[in-house]
Amino acid sequence: TVAEYKPELFVKPINEDVRLDFIKAWTTDQVNNEYCNRLLITHKDCHDGVGTALSVSKFESIIRENIPGYLTDYEIMLLEYDKFDLEEVLKAVEDKVVFIGDYNFPINVFKQIEEACDKVVMVDHHLSPFKDGCGDLDNVHLDLGRSGATLTHEFFFPNQDVPCLLTLIEDRDIWNYFMFDNTDALNMYLKDEKYNQKISQILREFPGSHQVILHYSNLKKTIQTKIYVEESEILQKRLEGYVIGIVYK
């Protein structure tokens, strides 16, 4: 089966034969093994990374229920976006079956991972893999319109609906907010997280009904806070210098 690559839509499905071959490798040798030969690499300190890990954990639980003696142990490596120690990564993947979800490596690093590990696939939704040629690889699944968590769930459960929790994670992670249950929200796009304490002090001076959503542009991270504020021009004035954008919705 040959998957259709649509670079103009920033969508590159994984080759189905490759997907099935990976699933087989991930599960076949896990009965009565005495060592861990599988590794999940995902995004650290990120809801989408957590959702990715949950999808893999769900798959493991279902397989365990259906295969007596199945060992569910696998290692997890959490990495900050664009920050990793190459030597550490290559040591971690050595001779393992590796699933990379909601994270990506430059193509030259990915090639080194391929050589060091037993088998690897990468499922991601960031732009950089499209730019460096990863979209041309059969064992890579990319889609900028989705989140890593939902893409991972669909990788392991292609015929099942995505759980609501993962859909909500995706809704926030790619900043759609189609499903946001509180339309009275203040979305703040921050310059840097080091101003957290100062921003929090300012926000608490303007209590109201709009829930504050923080988007960290430098970390590509979103946080739904428990702070509620009023819609105020004075508040926006006070926040100048700390944010790059404020949107009430």
Side-chain angles (χ1 to χ4, degrees):
T1 302
V2 178
E4 184 178 1
Y5 179 22
K6 299 179 179 179
E8 72 280 3
L9 300 178
F10 294 107
V11 175
K12 189 274 177 184
I14 198 164
N15 183 289
E16 179 62 10
D17 293 336
V18 172
R19 189 189 73 82
L20 293 174
D21 188 50
F22 180 87
I23 294 292
K24 182 179 180 181
W26 184 270
T27 58
T28 300
D29 297 328
Q30 302 313 309
V31 178
N32 299 320
N33 268 352
E34 295 181 355
Y35 62 94
C36 175
N37 70 336
R38 299 173 299 160
L39 175 67
L40 164 65
I41 299 178
T42 191
H43 199 172
K44 182 180 181 180
D45 297 331
C46 171
H47 291 130
D48 202 20
V50 172
T52 297
L54 286 174
S55 295
V56 176
S57 177
K58 174 185 174 183
F59 179 77
E60 287 289 296
S61 297
I62 293 174
I63 296 297
R64 184 183 61 214
E65 292 174 359
N66 290 279
I67 303 179
Y70 183 83
L71 298 182
T72 59
D73 290 338
Y74 58 96
E75 296 177 3
I76 300 178
M77 173 175 272
L78 303 175
L79 299 176
E80 296 181 44
Y81 193 66
D82 284 338
K83 294 181 180 179
F84 59 88
D85 183 304
L86 178 57
E87 184 176 344
E88 181 181 351
V89 170
L90 293 178
K91 182 178 179 180
V93 304
E94 186 174 3
D95 297 328
K96 289 188 174 69
V97 178
V98 181
F99 182 86
I100 304 170
D102 190 42
Y103 198 85
N104 67 79
F105 294 95
I107 190 167
N108 62 315
V109 175
F110 187 72
K111 290 289 188 179
Q112 292 182 65
I113 291 174
E114 280 186 310
E115 293 178 3
C117 73
D118 181 49
K119 196 173 295 291
V120 61
V121 298
M122 185 166 72
V123 177
D124 190 45
H125 67 120
H126 296 98
L127 180 61
S128 50
F130 281 99
K131 293 182 175 181
D132 69 6
C134 280
D136 297 326
L137 304 177
D138 285 341
N139 55 342
V140 173
H141 184 179
L142 304 172
D143 190 337
L144 261 67
R146 306 295 303 280
S147 72
T150 58
L151 290 174
T152 297
H153 188 275
E154 290 180 351
F155 179 90
F156 285 101
F157 304 97
N159 300 314
Q160 291 187 18
D161 292 336
V162 174
C164 182
L165 173 62
L166 301 187
T167 303
L168 289 169
I169 288 176
E170 176 177 274
D171 196 47
R172 290 178 54 196
D173 193 69
I174 61 176
W175 298 3
N176 276 335
Y177 290 96
F178 293 142
M179 300 181 64
F180 199 66
D181 59 356
N182 184 353
T183 56
D184 291 330
L186 168 64
N187 289 270
M188 295 174 52
Y189 300 85
L190 307 183
K191 291 181 177 179
D192 198 311
E193 65 173 342
K194 67 183 179 182
Y195 298 121
N196 276 355
Q197 185 173 0
K198 183 63 177 179
I199 291 173
S200 177
Q201 292 174 350
I202 295 173
L203 292 173
R204 294 181 188 281
E205 295 176 18
F206 298 84
S209 61
H210 293 76
Q211 187 175 22
V212 177
I213 312 298
L214 305 179
H215 304 279
Y216 297 95
S217 59
N218 60 326
L219 300 177
K220 297 180 175 65
K221 181 172 69 174
T222 297
I223 296 178
Q224 182 175 334
T225 75
K226 296 181 179 180
I227 301 176
Y228 290 78
V229 299
E230 64 177 340
E231 186 168 352
S232 166
E233 292 184 4
I234 299 176
L235 170 59
Q236 291 186 235
K237 192 72 175 177
R238 291 280 304 279
L239 290 170
E240 288 182 359
Y242 301 108
V243 301
I244 57 176
I246 297 176
V247 179
Y248 287 94
K249 59 179 296 184

